[in-house]
Amino acid sequence: MYKKLRLHQLNDFFLPLSVREQKGIYFYRIYHYNEEIGQFIYQYLIEAKRQGIVIQEKIPNPNEKQLAFYQEIMGMEFEPNKKFIDCALIKWLPRLNEIQRSNVVESILHTLEKMGEDGKSKDTQRNAYIKFMCWLYYKFERILIQLGQEKLPKILYEGEITKYELDILSILGDAGCDILLIEKNGDDPYKKADPKMERSFGLERDIKEPFPKDFSIACMEQKIQRENRFSMLYHEEELKIISTNTWLTGEIFADSLKEPKERGTNDNYCYNLFVRLTGVEDKLNYAKELFQWKKQLEDRGRKVFILSELLPPDNQEIQKVHPNQYQTVDEMILDLASRLKSTGCHRLDQQMKKTFVVFLLEEEKKREGNLNKLKNEAVYLICWLNRYSNKLTDGKDTSIATFIYFGVCKSEMEALFFRFLSWLFVDVFLINPDQNKKCVLTDRRLFEKCYEGSLELLSFPESVQDISTGTVAFQAEKELNSLLYQDTGLYRNNQYKKAQTLLLQTMCEEVYLLWDQELKYRPSFEVLGEEVLLPVLGAKILGVKNQDTNAYFNEIQKLMTEDTTLFLPEDKRSYDLTIRSYATQLIRNGKLDRNKIKACKEYAYGIYREEVQEYILDKIQELIDAKLIQGTFVNGMEYTILAVGLSLDGEWMKKIQKFDFTKKNPKLLMMAFSDKDYSLEDSILVALLSKIGFDVVLFIPTGFRILERYYTKPLFVEHQEGEYMFDLPMPMMKQTIKDTILKSNTIFKRIFKRG
């Protein structure tokens, strides 16, 4: 008889007989649930339907007709010995070969002897024997003739098993069948049939969640039937079971160098890796180690593909997929799966199509019938697979490629793509040396290794020229800086590259108090990870308090600092909007195409720091998204916003280039003493500068709306300071004030010459 073996891992159930530790079978009960167990049961069900028996709830007792047929053929004689049972099986189950029959005889005899040991009478044994014989003939005969083969027959039983049912399953197990019991209501009912708990093993797992209320083998069978509808897309018999991370030793780089035949012995399996490495162990040698690892992979003939950014599909890629309007998910899957391009590797093509079907069926549950959202996910997957899949194969069916994403997964769609790759014949690595960057990917199959150190490395070192190393003292200084400038209130020069602005709601008097104050000392200043929250001023001061113009201009003088720029309606500003003619190519679906913008011949910001360029583009995008300027996404105003944002002159750009988010921010002082208003382009510029982080104050003694008529909502905090006054003459200002302003801006020279 076959020995009952203990599992090392769930997939041991699928091992062929010749590679098992002994000549043995697995007989297990599952009474807890998690995602891993659910997927295992699903795979086991597929095998049981292909080569085995699925029993739901109960094995029907033999009916009168079946018992009458047995009595007619076999009679009612019974002897609990080997010779009698052997002769009976020759007559009752003639299709069994000698070895199969011998195993079944030994198994039946073992069970009957155990009944005798438990005090059961011969009549009770005879009745049980007849029941067993009927069950073997009517229920299990088709798997008995498979006994002794490399792939053992599988029996899946769902329900609360009875004593006699456990007897017949024990007979089949002893004869050479793998058996799995699904106990949705827990393990207690089983104890009635097997008080000593000796006839099967319970599956022990750390997670002891109950089965979901809607779990059933019947639902799983419906899913299998549904998947079978897609059988035209791939050849199931050519596919392999993906065994991810089951063979790891923990030495990830060494494991990744192993050839497929070194990873496992089952030819029906593909042994791959799905790994996330966070942080660094040795800062000095990290880049060199990565480069050497890549070279070792390539020296072994492995295909290595490295990606540092997963760009969304563009319109051209989406148009090539050409998704249609679909009525059902099945219709969509059948149509879109045909859009997957061939990689040149037949095995990979087959696996991609199968995985595409399985993934979308799983995502369908999460999306709760939202067909459009599911279609968008499918189109993204196809675009990315068509873009990259040919880089993951050398055309050989026996090879495993290595995919390296150097960075962090930032969205659910990216996570879906990486998880998809992990179900192919690919080793998938997500490598992030900077622990300050967080990855959103989660997956039960993901192996994660975290190191204590953290290192900013902009790209994967693909060549010797990409390797840079530092001395011990250099690294020590970096670590000291990290200690000094991390959550201490102290900041390095230009420590942060990104910021969000927050408009401070203040009293009018507070504008003068906060104007020349560093941002880090203002209320609501905060550092959020790698981003800074900038509390900025935006005030519109209307009227003249007590009609005291001398005091009025004295207050203005207080705001004239070295960081302040005067901005008057009378100033003749010109905007070079040449780039607007290209704008329709630079904005797609409301989003800036940054690669095309930077490649445009009219793009003038290339000389500035990369983070400055990205920051300005971020703020242009924010201004467009906010729909603050009237006509945005209605009459093409977004193109004008982009053109103005990309046409800042050198003086503005110098201020932005040297803007340190933790120190004093640049200022914009605006005055309008007449009915002359600012232009549309001026309004866009002011709104953009405010989002960038400029303090903006408007002095409008007339109370006129000389700026806001282009806005969809107020941009500034209004302060009604006094009565409205019109056509104030500039010469009323004191000479000291006049001198200060004369030095600050040549516009005032023209104004004061009139006096």
Side-chain angles (χ1 to χ4, degrees), residues 130-186:
I130 293 173
K131 179 178 286 193
F132 297 156
M133 293 292 274
C134 288
W135 276 343
L136 291 174
Y137 182 85
Y138 289 107
K139 185 70 176 177
F140 299 106
E141 195 264 353
R142 69 182 181 86
I143 66 170
L144 293 175
I145 60 175
Q146 302 174 32
L147 295 174
Q149 298 179 10
E150 271 290 275
K151 293 186 71 173
L152 276 65
K154 303 283 188 287
I155 297 175
L156 178 62
Y157 182 101
E158 178 190 34
E160 297 180 4
I161 198 164
T162 64
K163 173 70 169 60
Y164 285 116
E165 287 177 321
L166 183 56
D167 287 337
I168 191 63
L169 293 189
S170 296
I171 290 170
L172 294 166
D174 291 342
C177 293
D178 286 329
I179 302 169
L180 186 66
L181 304 184
I182 305 299
E183 301 175 318
K184 295 190 296 183
N185 298 323

Coordinates of all heavy atoms in Angstrom, one line a residue, residues 130-186:
I130 N -19.8 -4.7 0.7 CA -20.7 -4.6 -0.5 C -20.8 -3.1 -0.9 O -20.8 -2.8 -2.1 CB -22.1 -5.2 -0.2 CG1 -22.0 -6.8 0.0 CG2 -23.1 -4.9 -1.3 CD1 -23.2 -7.4 0.4
K131 N -21.0 -2.3 0.1 CA -21.1 -0.8 -0.2 C -19.8 -0.4 -0.9 O -19.8 0.4 -1.9 CB -21.3 0.0 1.1 CG -21.4 1.5 0.9 CD -21.7 2.2 2.2 CE -23.1 2.0 2.6 NZ -23.5 2.9 3.7
F132 N -18.6 -0.8 -0.4 CA -17.4 -0.4 -1.0 C -17.3 -0.9 -2.4 O -16.9 -0.1 -3.3 CB -16.2 -1.0 -0.2 CG -16.1 -0.5 1.2 CD1 -15.4 -1.3 2.2 CD2 -16.6 0.7 1.6 CE1 -15.3 -0.9 3.5 CE2 -16.5 1.1 2.9 CZ -15.9 0.4 3.9
M133 N -17.7 -2.1 -2.7 CA -17.6 -2.7 -4.0 C -18.5 -1.9 -5.0 O -18.1 -1.7 -6.1 CB -18.0 -4.2 -4.0 CG -17.0 -5.1 -3.3 SD -15.4 -5.2 -4.1 CE -15.8 -6.6 -5.2
C134 N -19.7 -1.6 -4.5 CA -20.6 -0.8 -5.4 C -20.1 0.6 -5.7 O -20.1 1.1 -6.8 CB -22.0 -0.7 -4.7 SG -23.0 -2.2 -4.7
W135 N -19.5 1.2 -4.6 CA -18.9 2.5 -4.9 C -17.7 2.4 -5.8 O -17.6 3.3 -6.7 CB -18.5 3.1 -3.5 CG -19.5 3.8 -2.8 CD1 -20.7 4.3 -3.3 CD2 -19.5 4.2 -1.4 NE1 -21.5 4.9 -2.3 CE2 -20.8 4.8 -1.1 CE3 -18.6 4.0 -0.3 CZ2 -21.1 5.3 0.1 CZ3 -19.0 4.5 0.9 CH2 -20.2 5.1 1.2
L136 N -16.9 1.4 -5.7 CA -15.7 1.3 -6.6 C -16.2 1.1 -8.0 O -15.6 1.6 -8.9 CB -14.9 0.1 -6.1 CG -14.1 0.2 -4.8 CD1 -13.4 -1.1 -4.4 CD2 -13.1 1.4 -4.9
Y137 N -17.3 0.4 -8.2 CA -17.7 0.1 -9.6 C -18.4 1.3 -10.2 O -18.2 1.6 -11.3 CB -18.7 -1.2 -9.5 CG -19.2 -1.6 -10.9 CD1 -18.4 -2.4 -11.7 CD2 -20.4 -1.1 -11.4 CE1 -18.9 -2.8 -12.9 CE2 -20.9 -1.5 -12.6 CZ -20.2 -2.4 -13.4 OH -20.6 -2.8 -14.6
Y138 N -19.4 1.8 -9.4 CA -20.2 2.9 -10.0 C -19.6 4.3 -9.9 O -19.9 5.1 -10.7 CB -21.6 2.9 -9.3 CG -22.4 1.7 -9.7 CD1 -22.7 0.7 -8.7 CD2 -23.0 1.6 -10.9 CE1 -23.5 -0.4 -9.1 CE2 -23.8 0.5 -11.3 CZ -24.0 -0.5 -10.3 OH -24.8 -1.6 -10.7
K139 N -18.8 4.5 -8.9 CA -18.3 5.9 -8.7 C -16.8 6.1 -9.0 O -16.4 7.1 -9.6 CB -18.5 6.3 -7.2 CG -18.1 7.7 -6.8 CD -19.1 8.7 -7.4 CE -18.8 10.1 -7.0 NZ -19.7 11.1 -7.6
F140 N -16.0 5.1 -8.8 CA -14.5 5.3 -8.8 C -13.8 4.4 -9.9 O -12.6 4.5 -9.9 CB -13.9 5.0 -7.5 CG -14.4 6.0 -6.4 CD1 -15.3 5.5 -5.4 CD2 -14.0 7.3 -6.4 CE1 -15.8 6.3 -4.4 CE2 -14.5 8.1 -5.4 CZ -15.4 7.7 -4.4
E141 N -14.5 3.6 -10.6 CA -13.9 2.7 -11.5 C -12.9 3.4 -12.5 O -11.8 2.9 -12.8 CB -14.9 1.8 -12.3 CG -14.3 0.6 -13.0 CD -14.0 0.8 -14.4 OE1 -14.3 1.9 -15.0 OE2 -13.4 -0.1 -15.1
R142 N -13.3 4.6 -13.0 CA -12.5 5.2 -14.0 C -11.2 5.8 -13.5 O -10.3 6.0 -14.2 CB -13.3 6.4 -14.7 CG -13.6 7.6 -13.8 CD -14.4 8.6 -14.6 NE -14.7 9.8 -13.8 CZ -13.9 10.8 -13.8 NH1 -12.7 10.8 -14.4 NH2 -14.2 11.9 -13.1
I143 N -11.1 6.0 -12.2 CA -9.8 6.4 -11.6 C -9.0 5.2 -11.1 O -7.8 5.3 -11.0 CB -9.9 7.4 -10.5 CG1 -10.6 6.9 -9.3 CG2 -10.6 8.7 -11.0 CD1 -10.5 7.8 -8.1
L144 N -9.7 4.0 -10.9 CA -8.9 2.9 -10.4 C -8.0 2.4 -11.5 O -6.9 1.9 -11.3 CB -9.9 1.7 -10.0 CG -10.7 2.0 -8.8 CD1 -11.7 0.8 -8.6 CD2 -9.8 2.1 -7.6
I145 N -8.4 2.5 -12.8 CA -7.6 2.1 -13.9 C -6.4 3.0 -14.2 O -5.5 2.7 -15.0 CB -8.4 1.9 -15.2 CG1 -9.0 3.2 -15.6 CG2 -9.5 0.8 -15.0 CD1 -9.8 3.1 -16.9
Q146 N -6.3 4.2 -13.4 CA -5.2 5.1 -13.6 C -4.2 4.9 -12.5 O -3.1 5.6 -12.4 CB -5.7 6.5 -13.5 CG -6.7 6.9 -14.6 CD -7.3 8.3 -14.4 OE1 -6.6 9.2 -13.9 NE2 -8.5 8.5 -14.7
L147 N -4.5 4.0 -11.5 CA -3.6 3.8 -10.4 C -2.2 3.3 -10.9 O -2.0 2.6 -11.8 CB -4.1 2.7 -9.4 CG -5.4 3.1 -8.7 CD1 -6.0 1.9 -7.9 CD2 -5.2 4.3 -7.8
G148 N -1.2 3.8 -10.1 CA 0.2 3.4 -10.4 C 0.9 4.3 -11.5 O 2.1 4.0 -11.8
Q149 N 0.2 5.2 -12.1 CA 0.9 6.1 -13.1 C 1.6 7.2 -12.4 O 1.5 7.4 -11.2 CB -0.2 6.7 -14.0 CG -1.0 5.6 -14.8 CD -2.0 6.2 -15.7 OE1 -2.1 7.5 -15.9 NE2 -2.9 5.4 -16.3
E150 N 2.5 7.9 -13.2 CA 3.3 9.0 -12.7 C 2.4 10.1 -12.1 O 2.7 10.6 -11.0 CB 4.2 9.6 -13.8 CG 5.5 8.9 -13.9 CD 6.4 9.2 -12.8 OE1 7.1 10.3 -12.8 OE2 6.5 8.4 -11.8
K151 N 1.3 10.5 -12.8 CA 0.4 11.5 -12.2 C -0.7 10.7 -11.5 O -1.5 10.0 -12.1 CB -0.2 12.3 -13.4 CG 0.8 13.2 -14.1 CD 0.2 14.1 -15.1 CE -0.7 15.2 -14.4 NZ -1.2 16.2 -15.4
L152 N -0.7 10.9 -10.2 CA -1.6 10.1 -9.4 C -3.0 10.7 -9.5 O -3.2 11.9 -9.6 CB -1.2 10.1 -7.9 CG -0.2 9.1 -7.5 CD1 1.1 9.3 -8.1 CD2 0.0 9.1 -5.9
P153 N -4.1 9.8 -9.5 CA -5.4 10.4 -9.6 C -5.7 11.2 -8.3 O -5.2 11.0 -7.3 CB -6.3 9.1 -9.5 CG -5.4 8.0 -10.0 CD -4.0 8.4 -9.5
K154 N -6.6 12.2 -8.5 CA -6.9 13.2 -7.5 C -8.4 13.1 -7.1 O -9.2 13.0 -8.0 CB -6.6 14.6 -7.9 CG -5.2 14.9 -8.4 CD -4.3 15.0 -7.2 CE -2.9 15.5 -7.6 NZ -2.1 14.5 -8.3
I155 N -8.6 13.0 -5.8 CA -10.0 13.0 -5.3 C -10.2 14.3 -4.4 O -9.4 14.6 -3.5 CB -10.3 11.8 -4.4 CG1 -10.2 10.5 -5.3 CG2 -11.7 11.8 -3.8 CD1 -10.3 9.2 -4.5
L156 N -11.2 15.0 -4.8 CA -11.6 16.3 -4.0 C -12.9 16.1 -3.4 O -13.9 15.8 -4.1 CB -11.6 17.5 -5.0 CG -12.0 18.8 -4.3 CD1 -11.0 19.2 -3.3 CD2 -12.0 19.9 -5.4
Y157 N -13.0 16.1 -2.1 CA -14.3 15.9 -1.3 C -14.6 17.2 -0.6 O -13.8 17.7 0.2 CB -14.1 14.8 -0.4 CG -15.4 14.4 0.4 CD1 -16.2 13.4 0.0 CD2 -15.8 15.2 1.5 CE1 -17.4 13.1 0.7 CE2 -17.0 14.9 2.2 CZ -17.7 13.9 1.8 OH -18.9 13.6 2.5
E158 N -15.8 17.7 -0.8 CA -16.3 18.9 -0.1 C -17.5 18.5 0.7 O -18.5 18.0 0.2 CB -16.7 20.0 -1.1 CG -17.2 21.3 -0.5 CD -17.9 22.2 -1.5 OE1 -18.4 21.8 -2.5 OE2 -17.8 23.4 -1.3
G159 N -17.4 18.8 2.0 CA -18.5 18.5 2.9 C -18.1 17.9 4.2 O -16.9 17.9 4.6
E160 N -19.0 17.4 5.0 CA -18.8 16.8 6.3 C -18.8 15.2 6.0 O -19.9 14.7 5.8 CB -19.8 17.2 7.3 CG -19.8 18.7 7.6 CD -20.8 19.1 8.6 OE1 -21.5 18.3 9.1 OE2 -20.9 20.3 8.9
I161 N -17.7 14.6 6.1 CA -17.5 13.2 5.7 C -18.1 12.3 6.8 O -18.0 12.6 8.0 CB -16.0 12.9 5.4 CG1 -15.9 11.7 4.6 CG2 -15.2 12.9 6.7 CD1 -14.5 11.5 4.0
T162 N -18.6 11.2 6.3 CA -19.1 10.1 7.2 C -18.1 9.0 7.4 O -17.1 9.0 6.7 CB -20.4 9.5 6.7 OG1 -20.2 8.9 5.5 CG2 -21.5 10.6 6.5
K163 N -18.4 8.1 8.3 CA -17.5 7.0 8.6 C -17.2 6.2 7.4 O -16.0 5.9 7.1 CB -18.0 6.2 9.8 CG -17.3 4.9 10.1 CD -15.9 5.2 10.7 CE -15.3 4.0 11.3 NZ -15.0 2.9 10.3
Y164 N -18.2 5.7 6.7 CA -18.0 4.9 5.6 C -17.4 5.6 4.4 O -16.6 5.0 3.6 CB -19.4 4.2 5.1 CG -19.8 3.1 6.1 CD1 -21.0 3.2 6.8 CD2 -19.0 2.0 6.2 CE1 -21.4 2.2 7.7 CE2 -19.4 0.9 7.1 CZ -20.6 1.1 7.8 OH -21.0 0.1 8.7
E165 N -17.7 6.9 4.2 CA -17.1 7.7 3.2 C -15.6 7.8 3.5 O -14.8 7.7 2.5 CB -17.7 9.1 3.1 CG -19.1 9.1 2.5 CD -19.7 10.5 2.5 OE1 -19.5 11.2 3.5 OE2 -20.4 10.8 1.5
L166 N -15.2 8.0 4.7 CA -13.8 8.0 5.1 C -13.1 6.7 4.8 O -12.0 6.6 4.4 CB -13.6 8.5 6.5 CG -12.2 8.6 7.0 CD1 -11.5 9.6 6.2 CD2 -12.2 9.1 8.5
D167 N -13.9 5.6 5.0 CA -13.3 4.2 4.8 C -13.0 4.1 3.3 O -11.9 3.6 2.9 CB -14.3 3.2 5.2 CG -14.4 3.0 6.7 OD1 -13.5 3.4 7.4 OD2 -15.5 2.5 7.2
I168 N -13.9 4.5 2.4 CA -13.7 4.3 1.0 C -12.6 5.2 0.5 O -11.8 4.8 -0.3 CB -15.0 4.5 0.1 CG1 -14.8 4.0 -1.3 CG2 -15.4 5.9 0.2 CD1 -14.5 2.5 -1.4
L169 N -12.5 6.4 1.0 CA -11.4 7.3 0.6 C -10.1 6.8 1.1 O -9.1 6.9 0.4 CB -11.7 8.7 1.1 CG -12.9 9.5 0.5 CD1 -12.9 10.9 1.0 CD2 -12.9 9.4 -1.0
S170 N -10.1 6.2 2.3 CA -8.8 5.6 2.8 C -8.4 4.4 1.9 O -7.2 4.3 1.7 CB -9.1 5.1 4.3 OG -9.3 6.2 5.1
I171 N -9.4 3.6 1.5 CA -9.0 2.5 0.6 C -8.4 3.1 -0.7 O -7.4 2.6 -1.2 CB -10.3 1.7 0.2 CG1 -10.8 0.9 1.5 CG2 -10.1 0.8 -1.0 CD1 -12.1 0.3 1.3
L172 N -9.0 4.1 -1.2 CA -8.5 4.7 -2.5 C -7.1 5.4 -2.2 O -6.2 5.3 -3.1 CB -9.4 5.8 -3.0 CG -10.8 5.2 -3.5 CD1 -11.8 6.3 -3.7 CD2 -10.6 4.4 -4.8
G173 N -6.9 6.0 -1.1 CA -5.6 6.6 -0.8 C -4.6 5.5 -0.6 O -3.5 5.6 -1.2
D174 N -4.9 4.4 0.1 CA -3.9 3.4 0.2 C -3.5 2.7 -1.1 O -2.4 2.2 -1.3 CB -4.5 2.3 1.2 CG -4.6 2.8 2.6 OD1 -3.9 3.8 3.0 OD2 -5.3 2.2 3.4
A175 N -4.5 2.8 -2.0 CA -4.3 2.2 -3.3 C -3.5 3.1 -4.3 O -3.1 2.6 -5.4 CB -5.6 1.8 -4.0
G176 N -3.4 4.4 -4.0 CA -2.6 5.3 -4.8 C -3.3 6.5 -5.3 O -2.9 7.0 -6.4
C177 N -4.2 7.1 -4.6 CA -4.9 8.3 -5.0 C -4.5 9.4 -4.0 O -4.5 9.2 -2.7 CB -6.4 8.1 -5.0 SG -7.0 7.0 -6.2
D178 N -4.3 10.6 -4.5 CA -4.2 11.8 -3.6 C -5.6 12.2 -3.2 O -6.5 12.2 -4.1 CB -3.5 13.0 -4.3 CG -2.0 12.7 -4.4 OD1 -1.4 12.1 -3.5 OD2 -1.4 13.2 -5.4
I179 N -5.8 12.7 -2.0 CA -7.1 13.0 -1.5 C -7.1 14.4 -0.8 O -6.2 14.6 0.1 CB -7.7 11.9 -0.6 CG1 -7.7 10.6 -1.3 CG2 -9.1 12.3 -0.1 CD1 -8.0 9.4 -0.4
L180 N -8.0 15.2 -1.0 CA -8.1 16.5 -0.4 C -9.6 16.7 0.1 O -10.5 16.6 -0.6 CB -7.8 17.6 -1.3 CG -7.7 19.0 -0.7 CD1 -6.6 19.2 0.3 CD2 -7.6 20.1 -1.8
L181 N -9.7 16.9 1.4 CA -11.0 17.2 2.0 C -11.2 18.7 2.3 O -10.3 19.3 2.9 CB -11.2 16.4 3.4 CG -11.0 14.9 3.4 CD1 -11.3 14.3 4.7 CD2 -11.9 14.2 2.3
I182 N -12.3 19.2 1.8 CA -12.6 20.7 2.1 C -13.6 20.7 3.2 O -14.8 20.3 2.9 CB -13.0 21.4 0.8 CG1 -12.0 21.2 -0.3 CG2 -13.3 22.9 1.1 CD1 -10.7 21.7 0.0
E183 N -13.3 21.3 4.3 CA -14.2 21.3 5.5 C -14.5 22.8 5.7 O -13.9 23.5 6.6 CB -13.6 20.7 6.7 CG -13.2 19.2 6.4 CD -12.4 18.6 7.6 OE1 -11.6 19.3 8.2 OE2 -12.8 17.5 7.9
K184 N -15.5 23.3 5.1 CA -15.9 24.7 5.2 C -16.4 25.1 6.6 O -16.3 26.2 7.0 CB -17.0 25.1 4.2 CG -16.5 25.0 2.7 CD -17.5 25.6 1.8 CE -18.8 24.8 1.8 NZ -19.8 25.3 0.8
N185 N -16.9 24.1 7.3 CA -17.5 24.3 8.6 C -16.5 24.0 9.7 O -16.9 23.8 10.9 CB -18.8 23.6 8.8 CG -19.9 24.0 7.8 OD1 -20.0 25.2 7.5 ND2 -20.7 23.1 7.3
G186 N -15.2 23.8 9.4 CA -14.3 23.5 10.4 C -14.0 22.0 10.5 O -14.6 21.2 9.8

